[in-house]
PDB file of all heavy atoms in Angstrom:
ATOM      1  N   PHE A  25     124.962  67.647 155.829  1.00 98.00           N
ATOM      2  CA  PHE A  25     125.211  67.423 154.400  1.00 98.00           C
ATOM      3  C   PHE A  25     126.723  67.353 154.167  1.00 98.00           C
ATOM      4  O   PHE A  25     127.209  66.458 153.411  1.00 98.00           O
ATOM      5  CB  PHE A  25     124.601  68.560 153.583  1.00 98.00           C
ATOM      6  CG  PHE A  25     124.789  68.424 152.080  1.00 98.00           C
ATOM      7  CD1 PHE A  25     123.873  67.768 151.314  1.00 98.00           C
ATOM      8  CD2 PHE A  25     125.968  68.887 151.494  1.00 98.00           C
ATOM      9  CE1 PHE A  25     124.081  67.644 149.924  1.00 98.00           C
ATOM     10  CE2 PHE A  25     126.178  68.747 150.149  1.00 98.00           C
ATOM     11  CZ  PHE A  25     125.224  68.132 149.336  1.00 98.00           C
ATOM     12  N   SER A  26     127.461  68.308 154.666  1.00 98.00           N
ATOM     13  CA  SER A  26     128.909  68.353 154.407  1.00 98.00           C
ATOM     14  C   SER A  26     129.616  67.071 154.919  1.00 98.00           C
ATOM     15  O   SER A  26     130.438  66.509 154.198  1.00 98.00           O
ATOM     16  CB  SER A  26     129.503  69.626 155.070  1.00 98.00           C
ATOM     17  OG  SER A  26     130.906  69.649 154.914  1.00 98.00           O
ATOM     18  N   ASN A  27     129.253  66.685 156.081  1.00 98.00           N
ATOM     19  CA  ASN A  27     129.861  65.477 156.657  1.00 98.00           C
ATOM     20  C   ASN A  27     129.550  64.226 155.858  1.00 98.00           C
ATOM     21  O   ASN A  27     130.418  63.394 155.594  1.00 98.00           O
ATOM     22  CB  ASN A  27     129.453  65.275 158.141  1.00 98.00           C
ATOM     23  CG  ASN A  27     129.962  66.352 159.055  1.00 98.00           C
ATOM     24  OD1 ASN A  27     130.954  67.028 158.723  1.00 98.00           O
ATOM     25  ND2 ASN A  27     129.263  66.602 160.146  1.00 98.00           N
ATOM     26  N   VAL A  28     128.280  64.083 155.486  1.00 98.00           N
ATOM     27  CA  VAL A  28     127.896  62.885 154.730  1.00 98.00           C
ATOM     28  C   VAL A  28     128.448  62.929 153.315  1.00 98.00           C
ATOM     29  O   VAL A  28     128.864  61.906 152.776  1.00 98.00           O
ATOM     30  CB  VAL A  28     126.310  62.827 154.664  1.00 98.00           C
ATOM     31  CG1 VAL A  28     125.882  61.647 153.794  1.00 98.00           C
ATOM     32  CG2 VAL A  28     125.774  62.640 156.080  1.00 98.00           C
ATOM     33  N   ASP A  29     128.506  64.115 152.727  1.00 98.00           N
ATOM     34  CA  ASP A  29     129.081  64.212 151.365  1.00 98.00           C
ATOM     35  C   ASP A  29     130.512  63.751 151.326  1.00 98.00           C
ATOM     36  O   ASP A  29     130.924  63.030 150.390  1.00 98.00           O
ATOM     37  CB  ASP A  29     128.960  65.654 150.906  1.00 98.00           C
ATOM     38  CG  ASP A  29     129.347  65.803 149.447  1.00 98.00           C
ATOM     39  OD1 ASP A  29     128.751  65.094 148.590  1.00 98.00           O
ATOM     40  OD2 ASP A  29     130.225  66.624 149.125  1.00 98.00           O
ATOM     41  N   LYS A  30     131.331  64.134 152.319  1.00 98.00           N
ATOM     42  CA  LYS A  30     132.732  63.706 152.332  1.00 98.00           C
ATOM     43  C   LYS A  30     132.822  62.180 152.387  1.00 98.00           C
ATOM     44  O   LYS A  30     133.660  61.595 151.649  1.00 98.00           O
ATOM     45  CB  LYS A  30     133.416  64.314 153.526  1.00 98.00           C
ATOM     46  CG  LYS A  30     133.610  65.803 153.453  1.00 98.00           C
ATOM     47  CD  LYS A  30     134.200  66.360 154.754  1.00 98.00           C
ATOM     48  CE  LYS A  30     134.329  67.900 154.687  1.00 98.00           C
ATOM     49  NZ  LYS A  30     134.810  68.434 155.962  1.00 98.00           N
ATOM     50  N   ALA A  31     131.996  61.567 153.227  1.00 98.00           N
ATOM     51  CA  ALA A  31     132.035  60.115 153.330  1.00 98.00           C
ATOM     52  C   ALA A  31     131.555  59.441 152.042  1.00 98.00           C
ATOM     53  O   ALA A  31     132.135  58.442 151.587  1.00 98.00           O
ATOM     54  CB  ALA A  31     131.192  59.617 154.494  1.00 98.00           C
ATOM     55  N   SER A  32     130.488  59.963 151.417  1.00 98.00           N
ATOM     56  CA  SER A  32     129.948  59.388 150.189  1.00 98.00           C
ATOM     57  C   SER A  32     130.914  59.526 149.047  1.00 98.00           C
ATOM     58  O   SER A  32     131.059  58.591 148.253  1.00 98.00           O
ATOM     59  CB  SER A  32     128.633  60.062 149.852  1.00 98.00           C
ATOM     60  OG  SER A  32     127.644  59.851 150.874  1.00 98.00           O
ATOM     61  N   VAL A  33     131.540  60.650 148.923  1.00 98.00           N
ATOM     62  CA  VAL A  33     132.519  60.799 147.849  1.00 98.00           C
ATOM     63  C   VAL A  33     133.705  59.898 148.087  1.00 98.00           C
ATOM     64  O   VAL A  33     134.215  59.262 147.056  1.00 98.00           O
ATOM     65  CB  VAL A  33     132.984  62.311 147.813  1.00 98.00           C
ATOM     66  CG1 VAL A  33     134.192  62.488 146.898  1.00 98.00           C
ATOM     67  CG2 VAL A  33     131.852  63.248 147.356  1.00 98.00           C
ATOM     68  N   ALA A  34     134.148  59.744 149.282  1.00 98.00           N
ATOM     69  CA  ALA A  34     135.279  58.862 149.542  1.00 98.00           C
ATOM     70  C   ALA A  34     134.962  57.410 149.163  1.00 98.00           C
ATOM     71  O   ALA A  34     135.837  56.702 148.652  1.00 98.00           O
ATOM     72  CB  ALA A  34     135.678  58.934 151.010  1.00 98.00           C
ATOM     73  N   GLY A  35     133.706  57.008 149.386  1.00 97.00           N
ATOM     74  CA  GLY A  35     133.304  55.598 149.054  1.00 97.00           C
ATOM     75  C   GLY A  35     132.694  55.495 147.722  1.00 97.00           C
ATOM     76  O   GLY A  35     132.312  54.425 147.261  1.00 97.00           O
ATOM     77  N   LYS A  36     132.475  56.662 146.986  1.00 98.00           N
ATOM     78  CA  LYS A  36     131.837  56.709 145.700  1.00 98.00           C
ATOM     79  C   LYS A  36     130.439  56.070 145.790  1.00 98.00           C
ATOM     80  O   LYS A  36     130.013  55.260 144.918  1.00 98.00           O
ATOM     81  CB  LYS A  36     132.678  56.044 144.560  1.00 98.00           C
ATOM     82  CG  LYS A  36     133.966  56.839 144.289  1.00 98.00           C
ATOM     83  CD  LYS A  36     134.642  56.316 143.067  1.00 98.00           C
ATOM     84  CE  LYS A  36     135.879  57.214 142.774  1.00 98.00           C
ATOM     85  NZ  LYS A  36     136.617  56.813 141.542  1.00 98.00           N
ATOM     86  N   ASN A  37     129.714  56.511 146.802  1.00 98.00           N
ATOM     87  CA  ASN A  37     128.322  56.083 147.020  1.00 98.00           C
ATOM     88  C   ASN A  37     127.375  57.254 146.932  1.00 98.00           C
ATOM     89  O   ASN A  37     127.790  58.421 147.048  1.00 98.00           O
ATOM     90  CB  ASN A  37     128.152  55.359 148.346  1.00 98.00           C
ATOM     91  CG  ASN A  37     128.915  54.044 148.391  1.00 98.00           C
ATOM     92  OD1 ASN A  37     128.721  53.195 147.553  1.00 98.00           O
ATOM     93  ND2 ASN A  37     129.757  53.919 149.427  1.00 98.00           N
ATOM     94  N   ILE A  38     126.076  56.987 146.785  1.00 98.00           N
ATOM     95  CA  ILE A  38     125.039  58.033 146.843  1.00 98.00           C
ATOM     96  C   ILE A  38     124.418  58.056 148.212  1.00 98.00           C
ATOM     97  O   ILE A  38     124.098  57.026 148.826  1.00 98.00           O
ATOM     98  CB  ILE A  38     123.945  57.686 145.776  1.00 98.00           C
ATOM     99  CG1 ILE A  38     124.401  58.094 144.355  1.00 98.00           C
ATOM    100  CG2 ILE A  38     122.642  58.410 146.132  1.00 98.00           C
ATOM    101  CD1 ILE A  38     124.385  59.585 144.134  1.00 98.00           C
ATOM    102  N   SER A  39     124.238  59.256 148.721  1.00 98.00           N
ATOM    103  CA  SER A  39     123.434  59.442 149.955  1.00 98.00           C
ATOM    104  C   SER A  39     122.415  60.555 149.688  1.00 98.00           C
ATOM    105  O   SER A  39     122.706  61.475 148.990  1.00 98.00           O
ATOM    106  CB  SER A  39     124.372  59.812 151.119  1.00 98.00           C
ATOM    107  OG  SER A  39     125.169  60.918 150.773  1.00 98.00           O
ATOM    108  N   ILE A  40     121.259  60.374 150.270  1.00 98.00           N
ATOM    109  CA  ILE A  40     120.205  61.378 150.173  1.00 98.00           C
ATOM    110  C   ILE A  40     119.760  61.615 151.623  1.00 98.00           C
ATOM    111  O   ILE A  40     119.252  60.720 152.275  1.00 98.00           O
ATOM    112  CB  ILE A  40     119.010  60.977 149.322  1.00 98.00           C
ATOM    113  CG1 ILE A  40     119.482  60.430 147.937  1.00 98.00           C
ATOM    114  CG2 ILE A  40     118.069  62.154 149.111  1.00 98.00           C
ATOM    115  CD1 ILE A  40     118.355  59.956 147.000  1.00 98.00           C
ATOM    116  N   ILE A  41     119.931  62.861 152.091  1.00 98.00           N
ATOM    117  CA  ILE A  41     119.616  63.187 153.486  1.00 98.00           C
ATOM    118  C   ILE A  41     118.354  64.032 153.609  1.00 98.00           C
ATOM    119  O   ILE A  41     117.885  64.627 152.670  1.00 98.00           O
ATOM    120  CB  ILE A  41     120.788  63.893 154.176  1.00 98.00           C
ATOM    121  CG1 ILE A  41     121.022  65.285 153.539  1.00 98.00           C
ATOM    122  CG2 ILE A  41     122.065  63.048 154.108  1.00 98.00           C
ATOM    123  CD1 ILE A  41     121.744  66.263 154.418  1.00 98.00           C
ATOM    124  N   SER A  42     117.822  64.040 154.810  1.00 97.00           N
ATOM    125  CA  SER A  42     116.660  64.916 155.196  1.00 97.00           C
ATOM    126  C   SER A  42     115.488  64.632 154.289  1.00 97.00           C
ATOM    127  O   SER A  42     114.823  65.582 153.765  1.00 97.00           O
ATOM    128  CB  SER A  42     117.090  66.412 155.135  1.00 97.00           C
ATOM    129  OG  SER A  42     118.145  66.644 156.036  1.00 97.00           O
ATOM    130  N   VAL A  43     115.183  63.376 154.117  1.00 98.00           N
ATOM    131  CA  VAL A  43     114.086  62.895 153.302  1.00 98.00           C
ATOM    132  C   VAL A  43     112.839  62.673 154.175  1.00 98.00           C
ATOM    133  O   VAL A  43     112.952  62.017 155.228  1.00 98.00           O
ATOM    134  CB  VAL A  43     114.423  61.605 152.550  1.00 98.00           C
ATOM    135  CG1 VAL A  43     113.265  61.036 151.846  1.00 98.00           C
ATOM    136  CG2 VAL A  43     115.585  61.877 151.562  1.00 98.00           C
ATOM    137  N   GLY A  44     111.718  63.211 153.803  1.00 97.00           N
ATOM    138  CA  GLY A  44     110.467  63.024 154.591  1.00 97.00           C
ATOM    139  C   GLY A  44     109.479  64.039 154.055  1.00 97.00           C
ATOM    140  O   GLY A  44     109.444  64.346 152.900  1.00 97.00           O
ATOM    141  N   TRP A  45     108.630  64.571 154.946  1.00 96.00           N
ATOM    142  CA  TRP A  45     107.674  65.557 154.482  1.00 96.00           C
ATOM    143  C   TRP A  45     108.031  66.972 154.933  1.00 96.00           C
ATOM    144  O   TRP A  45     107.716  67.956 154.257  1.00 96.00           O
ATOM    145  CB  TRP A  45     106.231  65.198 154.839  1.00 96.00           C
ATOM    146  CG  TRP A  45     105.900  64.986 156.275  1.00 96.00           C
ATOM    147  CD1 TRP A  45     106.058  63.856 157.034  1.00 96.00           C
ATOM    148  CD2 TRP A  45     105.271  65.940 157.148  1.00 96.00           C
ATOM    149  NE1 TRP A  45     105.588  64.028 158.283  1.00 96.00           N
ATOM    150  CE2 TRP A  45     105.132  65.315 158.401  1.00 96.00           C
ATOM    151  CE3 TRP A  45     104.848  67.269 157.021  1.00 96.00           C
ATOM    152  CZ2 TRP A  45     104.558  65.975 159.524  1.00 96.00           C
ATOM    153  CZ3 TRP A  45     104.293  67.910 158.093  1.00 96.00           C
ATOM    154  CH2 TRP A  45     104.168  67.253 159.307  1.00 96.00           C
ATOM    155  N   ASP A  46     108.733  67.150 156.070  1.00 95.00           N
ATOM    156  CA  ASP A  46     109.290  68.436 156.430  1.00 95.00           C
ATOM    157  C   ASP A  46     110.434  68.235 157.399  1.00 95.00           C
ATOM    158  O   ASP A  46     110.149  67.991 158.577  1.00 95.00           O
ATOM    159  CB  ASP A  46     108.261  69.381 156.977  1.00 95.00           C
ATOM    160  CG  ASP A  46     108.744  70.849 156.856  1.00 95.00           C
ATOM    161  OD1 ASP A  46     109.840  71.065 156.428  1.00 95.00           O
ATOM    162  OD2 ASP A  46     107.965  71.739 157.270  1.00 95.00           O
ATOM    163  N   PRO A  47     111.709  68.271 156.941  1.00 95.00           N
ATOM    164  CA  PRO A  47     112.153  68.603 155.604  1.00 95.00           C
ATOM    165  C   PRO A  47     111.810  67.500 154.600  1.00 95.00           C
ATOM    166  O   PRO A  47     111.681  66.331 154.962  1.00 95.00           O
ATOM    167  CB  PRO A  47     113.663  68.769 155.746  1.00 95.00           C
ATOM    168  CG  PRO A  47     113.991  67.854 156.918  1.00 95.00           C
ATOM    169  CD  PRO A  47     112.841  67.949 157.851  1.00 95.00           C
ATOM    170  N   GLY A  48     111.675  67.883 153.354  1.00 98.00           N
ATOM    171  CA  GLY A  48     111.364  66.920 152.308  1.00 98.00           C
ATOM    172  C   GLY A  48     110.348  67.513 151.335  1.00 98.00           C
ATOM    173  O   GLY A  48     110.629  68.501 150.605  1.00 98.00           O
ATOM    174  N   LEU A  49     109.144  66.954 151.335  1.00 98.00           N
ATOM    175  CA  LEU A  49     108.108  67.360 150.372  1.00 98.00           C
ATOM    176  C   LEU A  49     107.712  68.836 150.617  1.00 98.00           C
ATOM    177  O   LEU A  49     107.485  69.566 149.664  1.00 98.00           O
ATOM    178  CB  LEU A  49     106.911  66.446 150.524  1.00 98.00           C
ATOM    179  CG  LEU A  49     107.122  64.989 150.242  1.00 98.00           C
ATOM    180  CD1 LEU A  49     105.786  64.236 150.329  1.00 98.00           C
ATOM    181  CD2 LEU A  49     107.782  64.748 148.908  1.00 98.00           C
ATOM    182  N   PHE A  50     107.643  69.246 151.860  1.00 98.00           N
ATOM    183  CA  PHE A  50     107.320  70.670 152.147  1.00 98.00           C
ATOM    184  C   PHE A  50     108.443  71.546 151.668  1.00 98.00           C
ATOM    185  O   PHE A  50     108.208  72.654 151.163  1.00 98.00           O
ATOM    186  CB  PHE A  50     107.101  70.877 153.640  1.00 98.00           C
ATOM    187  CG  PHE A  50     105.693  70.625 154.129  1.00 98.00           C
ATOM    188  CD1 PHE A  50     104.788  69.888 153.332  1.00 98.00           C
ATOM    189  CD2 PHE A  50     105.249  71.135 155.326  1.00 98.00           C
ATOM    190  CE1 PHE A  50     103.483  69.638 153.749  1.00 98.00           C
ATOM    191  CE2 PHE A  50     103.964  70.903 155.758  1.00 98.00           C
ATOM    192  CZ  PHE A  50     103.066  70.137 155.003  1.00 98.00           C
ATOM    193  N   SER A  51     109.668  71.110 151.755  1.00 98.00           N
ATOM    194  CA  SER A  51     110.825  71.905 151.282  1.00 98.00           C
ATOM    195  C   SER A  51     110.690  72.131 149.766  1.00 98.00           C
ATOM    196  O   SER A  51     110.948  73.242 149.264  1.00 98.00           O
ATOM    197  CB  SER A  51     112.147  71.187 151.579  1.00 98.00           C
ATOM    198  OG  SER A  51     112.205  70.755 152.925  1.00 98.00           O
ATOM    199  N   LEU A  52     110.344  71.063 149.025  1.00 98.00           N
ATOM    200  CA  LEU A  52     110.179  71.176 147.601  1.00 98.00           C
ATOM    201  C   LEU A  52     109.091  72.177 147.231  1.00 98.00           C
ATOM    202  O   LEU A  52     109.230  72.993 146.290  1.00 98.00           O
ATOM    203  CB  LEU A  52     109.776  69.814 147.046  1.00 98.00           C
ATOM    204  CG  LEU A  52     110.896  68.793 146.830  1.00 98.00           C
ATOM    205  CD1 LEU A  52     110.336  67.459 146.423  1.00 98.00           C
ATOM    206  CD2 LEU A  52     111.912  69.292 145.779  1.00 98.00           C
ATOM    207  N   ASN A  53     107.997  72.146 147.982  1.00 98.00           N
ATOM    208  CA  ASN A  53     106.906  73.037 147.709  1.00 98.00           C
ATOM    209  C   ASN A  53     107.232  74.512 148.045  1.00 98.00           C
ATOM    210  O   ASN A  53     106.805  75.433 147.348  1.00 98.00           O
ATOM    211  CB  ASN A  53     105.645  72.596 148.368  1.00 98.00           C
ATOM    212  CG  ASN A  53     104.964  71.462 147.641  1.00 98.00           C
ATOM    213  OD1 ASN A  53     104.214  71.716 146.711  1.00 98.00           O
ATOM    214  ND2 ASN A  53     105.304  70.232 148.006  1.00 98.00           N
ATOM    215  N   ARG A  54     108.079  74.724 149.056  1.00 98.00           N
ATOM    216  CA  ARG A  54     108.502  76.065 149.344  1.00 98.00           C
ATOM    217  C   ARG A  54     109.438  76.550 148.186  1.00 98.00           C
ATOM    218  O   ARG A  54     109.370  77.702 147.759  1.00 98.00           O
ATOM    219  CB  ARG A  54     109.298  76.132 150.680  1.00 98.00           C
ATOM    220  CG  ARG A  54     108.373  76.031 151.891  1.00 98.00           C
ATOM    221  CD  ARG A  54     109.112  76.239 153.179  1.00 98.00           C
ATOM    222  NE  ARG A  54     109.933  75.174 153.614  1.00 98.00           N
ATOM    223  CZ  ARG A  54     109.538  74.214 154.457  1.00 98.00           C
ATOM    224  NH1 ARG A  54     108.335  74.237 154.954  1.00 98.00           N
ATOM    225  NH2 ARG A  54     110.353  73.245 154.794  1.00 98.00           N
ATOM    226  N   LEU A  55     110.290  75.640 147.655  1.00 98.00           N
ATOM    227  CA  LEU A  55     111.157  75.956 146.536  1.00 98.00           C
ATOM    228  C   LEU A  55     110.329  76.333 145.296  1.00 98.00           C
ATOM    229  O   LEU A  55     110.575  77.372 144.647  1.00 98.00           O
ATOM    230  CB  LEU A  55     112.131  74.839 146.240  1.00 98.00           C
ATOM    231  CG  LEU A  55     113.154  75.006 145.154  1.00 98.00           C
ATOM    232  CD1 LEU A  55     114.390  74.141 145.453  1.00 98.00           C
ATOM    233  CD2 LEU A  55     112.650  74.674 143.774  1.00 98.00           C
ATOM    234  N   TYR A  56     109.383  75.477 144.952  1.00 98.00           N
ATOM    235  CA  TYR A  56     108.506  75.741 143.791  1.00 98.00           C
ATOM    236  C   TYR A  56     107.798  77.086 143.921  1.00 98.00           C
ATOM    237  O   TYR A  56     107.719  77.872 142.974  1.00 98.00           O
ATOM    238  CB  TYR A  56     107.471  74.632 143.616  1.00 98.00           C
ATOM    239  CG  TYR A  56     107.992  73.292 143.091  1.00 98.00           C
ATOM    240  CD1 TYR A  56     107.623  72.099 143.663  1.00 98.00           C
ATOM    241  CD2 TYR A  56     108.879  73.277 142.022  1.00 98.00           C
ATOM    242  CE1 TYR A  56     108.084  70.895 143.144  1.00 98.00           C
ATOM    243  CE2 TYR A  56     109.373  72.059 141.535  1.00 98.00           C
ATOM    244  CZ  TYR A  56     108.975  70.922 142.116  1.00 98.00           C
ATOM    245  OH  TYR A  56     109.452  69.709 141.642  1.00 98.00           O
ATOM    246  N   GLY A  57     107.262  77.305 145.141  1.00 98.00           N
ATOM    247  CA  GLY A  57     106.549  78.565 145.333  1.00 98.00           C
ATOM    248  C   GLY A  57     107.382  79.813 145.133  1.00 98.00           C
ATOM    249  O   GLY A  57     106.993  80.768 144.479  1.00 98.00           O
ATOM    250  N   GLN A  58     108.611  79.784 145.695  1.00 98.00           N
ATOM    251  CA  GLN A  58     109.512  80.952 145.562  1.00 98.00           C
ATOM    252  C   GLN A  58     109.965  81.138 144.112  1.00 98.00           C
ATOM    253  O   GLN A  58     110.059  82.298 143.612  1.00 98.00           O
ATOM    254  CB  GLN A  58     110.712  80.777 146.459  1.00 98.00           C
ATOM    255  CG  GLN A  58     110.413  80.889 147.926  1.00 98.00           C
ATOM    256  CD  GLN A  58     111.667  80.756 148.823  1.00 98.00           C
ATOM    257  OE1 GLN A  58     112.787  80.820 148.291  1.00 98.00           O
ATOM    258  NE2 GLN A  58     111.455  80.604 150.117  1.00 98.00           N
ATOM    259  N   ALA A  59     110.210  80.016 143.405  1.00 98.00           N
ATOM    260  CA  ALA A  59     110.670  80.105 142.009  1.00 98.00           C
ATOM    261  C   ALA A  59     109.545  80.659 141.084  1.00 98.00           C
ATOM    262  O   ALA A  59     109.794  81.421 140.200  1.00 98.00           O
ATOM    263  CB  ALA A  59     111.131  78.737 141.535  1.00 98.00           C
ATOM    264  N   ILE A  60     108.308  80.253 141.347  1.00 98.00           N
ATOM    265  CA  ILE A  60     107.204  80.630 140.461  1.00 98.00           C
ATOM    266  C   ILE A  60     106.639  82.000 140.827  1.00 98.00           C
ATOM    267  O   ILE A  60     106.264  82.761 139.943  1.00 98.00           O
ATOM    268  CB  ILE A  60     106.097  79.543 140.576  1.00 98.00           C
ATOM    269  CG1 ILE A  60     106.579  78.189 140.021  1.00 98.00           C
ATOM    270  CG2 ILE A  60     104.828  79.975 139.836  1.00 98.00           C
ATOM    271  CD1 ILE A  60     105.769  77.005 140.390  1.00 98.00           C
ATOM    272  N   LEU A  61     106.593  82.321 142.101  1.00 97.00           N
ATOM    273  CA  LEU A  61     106.086  83.616 142.595  1.00 97.00           C
ATOM    274  C   LEU A  61     107.151  84.350 143.364  1.00 97.00           C
ATOM    275  O   LEU A  61     107.118  84.391 144.586  1.00 97.00           O
ATOM    276  CB  LEU A  61     104.853  83.421 143.409  1.00 97.00           C
ATOM    277  CG  LEU A  61     103.595  82.829 142.731  1.00 97.00           C
ATOM    278  CD1 LEU A  61     102.465  82.594 143.723  1.00 97.00           C
ATOM    279  CD2 LEU A  61     103.106  83.823 141.614  1.00 97.00           C
ATOM    280  N   PRO A  62     108.159  84.897 142.696  1.00 97.00           N
ATOM    281  CA  PRO A  62     109.246  85.588 143.436  1.00 97.00           C
ATOM    282  C   PRO A  62     108.781  86.789 144.224  1.00 97.00           C
ATOM    283  O   PRO A  62     109.396  87.169 145.257  1.00 97.00           O
ATOM    284  CB  PRO A  62     110.211  86.004 142.372  1.00 97.00           C
ATOM    285  CG  PRO A  62     109.459  85.984 141.059  1.00 97.00           C
ATOM    286  CD  PRO A  62     108.391  84.933 141.228  1.00 97.00           C
ATOM    287  N   GLN A  63     107.653  87.403 143.800  1.00 96.00           N
ATOM    288  CA  GLN A  63     107.056  88.492 144.590  1.00 96.00           C
ATOM    289  C   GLN A  63     105.999  87.910 145.490  1.00 96.00           C
ATOM    290  O   GLN A  63     104.836  87.787 145.169  1.00 96.00           O
ATOM    291  CB  GLN A  63     106.404  89.517 143.628  1.00 96.00           C
ATOM    292  CG  GLN A  63     107.373  90.313 142.771  1.00 96.00           C
ATOM    293  CD  GLN A  63     108.198  91.257 143.597  1.00 96.00           C
ATOM    294  OE1 GLN A  63     109.366  90.988 143.888  1.00 96.00           O
ATOM    295  NE2 GLN A  63     107.612  92.365 143.979  1.00 96.00           N
ATOM    296  N   GLY A  64     106.441  87.467 146.724  1.00 96.00           N
ATOM    297  CA  GLY A  64     105.486  86.807 147.592  1.00 96.00           C
ATOM    298  C   GLY A  64     106.009  86.461 148.955  1.00 96.00           C
ATOM    299  O   GLY A  64     107.169  86.867 149.300  1.00 96.00           O
ATOM    300  N   HIS A  65     105.253  85.676 149.673  1.00 96.00           N
ATOM    301  CA  HIS A  65     105.661  85.278 151.037  1.00 96.00           C
ATOM    302  C   HIS A  65     105.340  83.788 151.227  1.00 96.00           C
ATOM    303  O   HIS A  65     104.336  83.250 150.691  1.00 96.00           O
ATOM    304  CB  HIS A  65     104.808  86.079 152.058  1.00 96.00           C
ATOM    305  CG  HIS A  65     105.121  87.542 152.035  1.00 96.00           C
ATOM    306  ND1 HIS A  65     104.523  88.424 151.165  1.00 96.00           N
ATOM    307  CD2 HIS A  65     105.941  88.309 152.809  1.00 96.00           C
ATOM    308  CE1 HIS A  65     104.941  89.653 151.370  1.00 96.00           C
ATOM    309  NE2 HIS A  65     105.837  89.617 152.372  1.00 96.00           N
ATOM    310  N   ASP A  66     106.229  83.169 151.996  1.00 96.00           N
ATOM    311  CA  ASP A  66     106.041  81.734 152.357  1.00 96.00           C
ATOM    312  C   ASP A  66     105.291  81.665 153.723  1.00 96.00           C
ATOM    313  O   ASP A  66     105.525  82.482 154.599  1.00 96.00           O
ATOM    314  CB  ASP A  66     107.383  81.045 152.580  1.00 96.00           C
ATOM    315  CG  ASP A  66     108.097  80.809 151.253  1.00 96.00           C
ATOM    316  OD1 ASP A  66     107.440  80.626 150.227  1.00 96.00           O
ATOM    317  OD2 ASP A  66     109.354  80.845 151.276  1.00 96.00           O
TER     318      ASP A  66
END
């Protein structure tokens, strides 16, 4: 992320990394789960 961000900022472009289902959609669902049920386990 850090390496790509430096290049994207320099060129004023958008980059989205680690897109897929894991990492990606599964990552989102882990985030939602922790945010909604802070007393719990993944």
Side-chain angles (χ1 to χ4, degrees):
F25 179 94
S26 178
N27 293 337
V28 176
D29 188 54
K30 290 175 184 176
S32 297
V33 169
K36 293 191 175 181
N37 293 307
I38 281 286
S39 52
I40 310 177
I41 66 158
S42 300
V43 172
W45 58 276
D46 199 359
L49 301 183
F50 273 18
S51 312
L52 281 173
N53 281 275
R54 286 189 285 264
L55 184 153
Y56 285 137
Q58 289 182 14
I60 295 163
L61 295 174
Q63 292 290 103
H65 296 81
D66 289 329

